[in-house]
PDB file of all heavy atoms in Angstrom:
ATOM      1  N   MET A 107       7.933  16.370 -23.596  1.00 94.00           N
ATOM      2  CA  MET A 107       6.550  15.912 -23.938  1.00 94.00           C
ATOM      3  C   MET A 107       6.299  14.550 -23.276  1.00 94.00           C
ATOM      4  O   MET A 107       5.181  14.310 -22.784  1.00 94.00           O
ATOM      5  CB  MET A 107       6.378  15.771 -25.472  1.00 94.00           C
ATOM      6  CG  MET A 107       6.340  17.112 -26.169  1.00 94.00           C
ATOM      7  SD  MET A 107       4.996  18.119 -25.538  1.00 94.00           S
ATOM      8  CE  MET A 107       5.529  19.729 -26.128  1.00 94.00           C
ATOM      9  N   TYR A 108       7.243  13.666 -23.246  1.00 92.00           N
ATOM     10  CA  TYR A 108       7.077  12.383 -22.546  1.00 92.00           C
ATOM     11  C   TYR A 108       6.795  12.620 -21.072  1.00 92.00           C
ATOM     12  O   TYR A 108       5.850  11.985 -20.485  1.00 92.00           O
ATOM     13  CB  TYR A 108       8.332  11.569 -22.754  1.00 92.00           C
ATOM     14  CG  TYR A 108       8.299  10.281 -21.884  1.00 92.00           C
ATOM     15  CD1 TYR A 108       7.486   9.196 -22.273  1.00 92.00           C
ATOM     16  CD2 TYR A 108       9.084  10.155 -20.734  1.00 92.00           C
ATOM     17  CE1 TYR A 108       7.442   8.044 -21.532  1.00 92.00           C
ATOM     18  CE2 TYR A 108       9.035   9.029 -19.977  1.00 92.00           C
ATOM     19  CZ  TYR A 108       8.244   7.911 -20.353  1.00 92.00           C
ATOM     20  OH  TYR A 108       8.157   6.877 -19.634  1.00 92.00           O
ATOM     21  N   LEU A 109       7.550  13.450 -20.416  1.00 90.00           N
ATOM     22  CA  LEU A 109       7.348  13.722 -19.013  1.00 90.00           C
ATOM     23  C   LEU A 109       5.979  14.334 -18.798  1.00 90.00           C
ATOM     24  O   LEU A 109       5.307  14.050 -17.750  1.00 90.00           O
ATOM     25  CB  LEU A 109       8.466  14.653 -18.457  1.00 90.00           C
ATOM     26  CG  LEU A 109       9.867  14.016 -18.419  1.00 90.00           C
ATOM     27  CD1 LEU A 109      10.807  15.119 -17.976  1.00 90.00           C
ATOM     28  CD2 LEU A 109       9.889  12.871 -17.489  1.00 90.00           C
ATOM     29  N   LEU A 110       5.492  15.185 -19.642  1.00 89.00           N
ATOM     30  CA  LEU A 110       4.219  15.785 -19.538  1.00 89.00           C
ATOM     31  C   LEU A 110       3.155  14.724 -19.612  1.00 89.00           C
ATOM     32  O   LEU A 110       2.176  14.781 -18.850  1.00 89.00           O
ATOM     33  CB  LEU A 110       4.002  16.826 -20.686  1.00 89.00           C
ATOM     34  CG  LEU A 110       2.855  17.756 -20.564  1.00 89.00           C
ATOM     35  CD1 LEU A 110       2.929  18.606 -19.322  1.00 89.00           C
ATOM     36  CD2 LEU A 110       2.775  18.618 -21.788  1.00 89.00           C
ATOM     37  N   THR A 111       3.260  13.716 -20.495  1.00 89.00           N
ATOM     38  CA  THR A 111       2.248  12.662 -20.525  1.00 89.00           C
ATOM     39  C   THR A 111       2.344  11.801 -19.309  1.00 89.00           C
ATOM     40  O   THR A 111       1.290  11.331 -18.875  1.00 89.00           O
ATOM     41  CB  THR A 111       2.455  11.780 -21.782  1.00 89.00           C
ATOM     42  OG1 THR A 111       3.798  11.225 -21.774  1.00 89.00           O
ATOM     43  CG2 THR A 111       2.268  12.627 -23.112  1.00 89.00           C
ATOM     44  N   GLN A 112       3.510  11.621 -18.781  1.00 86.00           N
ATOM     45  CA  GLN A 112       3.595  10.759 -17.524  1.00 86.00           C
ATOM     46  C   GLN A 112       2.995  11.469 -16.302  1.00 86.00           C
ATOM     47  O   GLN A 112       2.386  10.814 -15.497  1.00 86.00           O
ATOM     48  CB  GLN A 112       5.136  10.470 -17.276  1.00 86.00           C
ATOM     49  CG  GLN A 112       5.739   9.577 -18.214  1.00 86.00           C
ATOM     50  CD  GLN A 112       5.035   8.230 -18.321  1.00 86.00           C
ATOM     51  OE1 GLN A 112       4.792   7.550 -17.361  1.00 86.00           O
ATOM     52  NE2 GLN A 112       4.611   7.840 -19.529  1.00 86.00           N
ATOM     53  N   ILE A 113       3.123  12.786 -16.311  1.00 83.00           N
ATOM     54  CA  ILE A 113       2.490  13.476 -15.152  1.00 83.00           C
ATOM     55  C   ILE A 113       1.005  13.460 -15.227  1.00 83.00           C
ATOM     56  O   ILE A 113       0.321  13.237 -14.271  1.00 83.00           O
ATOM     57  CB  ILE A 113       3.018  14.947 -15.164  1.00 83.00           C
ATOM     58  CG1 ILE A 113       4.435  15.033 -14.614  1.00 83.00           C
ATOM     59  CG2 ILE A 113       2.136  15.855 -14.233  1.00 83.00           C
ATOM     60  CD1 ILE A 113       5.069  16.391 -14.561  1.00 83.00           C
ATOM     61  N   THR A 114       0.474  13.628 -16.447  1.00 80.00           N
ATOM     62  CA  THR A 114      -0.991  13.601 -16.609  1.00 80.00           C
ATOM     63  C   THR A 114      -1.506  12.153 -16.376  1.00 80.00           C
ATOM     64  O   THR A 114      -2.664  11.980 -15.826  1.00 80.00           O
ATOM     65  CB  THR A 114      -1.432  14.103 -17.961  1.00 80.00           C
ATOM     66  OG1 THR A 114      -0.759  13.320 -18.988  1.00 80.00           O
ATOM     67  CG2 THR A 114      -1.124  15.545 -18.135  1.00 80.00           C
ATOM     68  N   ALA A 115      -0.705  11.178 -16.696  1.00 79.00           N
ATOM     69  CA  ALA A 115      -1.141   9.731 -16.491  1.00 79.00           C
ATOM     70  C   ALA A 115      -1.237   9.414 -14.961  1.00 79.00           C
ATOM     71  O   ALA A 115      -2.093   8.641 -14.510  1.00 79.00           O
ATOM     72  CB  ALA A 115      -0.213   8.773 -17.172  1.00 79.00           C
ATOM     73  N   LYS A 116      -0.356  10.015 -14.193  1.00 74.00           N
ATOM     74  CA  LYS A 116      -0.327   9.724 -12.723  1.00 74.00           C
ATOM     75  C   LYS A 116      -1.107  10.719 -11.896  1.00 74.00           C
ATOM     76  O   LYS A 116      -1.022  10.723 -10.708  1.00 74.00           O
ATOM     77  CB  LYS A 116       1.151   9.696 -12.324  1.00 74.00           C
ATOM     78  CG  LYS A 116       1.908   8.527 -12.953  1.00 74.00           C
ATOM     79  CD  LYS A 116       3.327   8.516 -12.418  1.00 74.00           C
ATOM     80  CE  LYS A 116       4.007   7.314 -13.128  1.00 74.00           C
ATOM     81  NZ  LYS A 116       5.253   6.890 -12.514  1.00 74.00           N
ATOM     82  N   GLN A 117      -1.801  11.599 -12.543  1.00 69.00           N
ATOM     83  CA  GLN A 117      -2.457  12.690 -11.806  1.00 69.00           C
ATOM     84  C   GLN A 117      -3.557  12.201 -10.874  1.00 69.00           C
ATOM     85  O   GLN A 117      -3.700  12.723  -9.797  1.00 69.00           O
ATOM     86  CB  GLN A 117      -3.052  13.715 -12.852  1.00 69.00           C
ATOM     87  CG  GLN A 117      -3.603  14.915 -12.224  1.00 69.00           C
ATOM     88  CD  GLN A 117      -4.085  15.953 -13.200  1.00 69.00           C
ATOM     89  OE1 GLN A 117      -4.211  15.591 -14.357  1.00 69.00           O
ATOM     90  NE2 GLN A 117      -4.276  17.162 -12.842  1.00 69.00           N
ATOM     91  N   GLY A 118      -4.292  11.168 -11.275  1.00 64.00           N
ATOM     92  CA  GLY A 118      -5.395  10.722 -10.418  1.00 64.00           C
ATOM     93  C   GLY A 118      -5.006   9.777  -9.340  1.00 64.00           C
ATOM     94  O   GLY A 118      -5.889   9.348  -8.520  1.00 64.00           O
ATOM     95  N   LEU A 119      -3.779   9.363  -9.242  1.00 62.00           N
ATOM     96  CA  LEU A 119      -3.380   8.315  -8.266  1.00 62.00           C
ATOM     97  C   LEU A 119      -3.256   8.970  -6.888  1.00 62.00           C
ATOM     98  O   LEU A 119      -2.894  10.137  -6.742  1.00 62.00           O
ATOM     99  CB  LEU A 119      -2.023   7.741  -8.696  1.00 62.00           C
ATOM    100  CG  LEU A 119      -1.983   6.983  -9.953  1.00 62.00           C
ATOM    101  CD1 LEU A 119      -0.550   6.469 -10.242  1.00 62.00           C
ATOM    102  CD2 LEU A 119      -2.958   5.760  -9.950  1.00 62.00           C
TER     103      LEU A 119
END
Side-chain angles (χ1 to χ4, degrees):
M107 292 300 163
Y108 172 75
L109 293 174
L110 191 62
T111 60
Q112 292 302 306
I113 285 177
T114 56
K116 294 182 181 195
Q117 189 175 15
L119 298 177

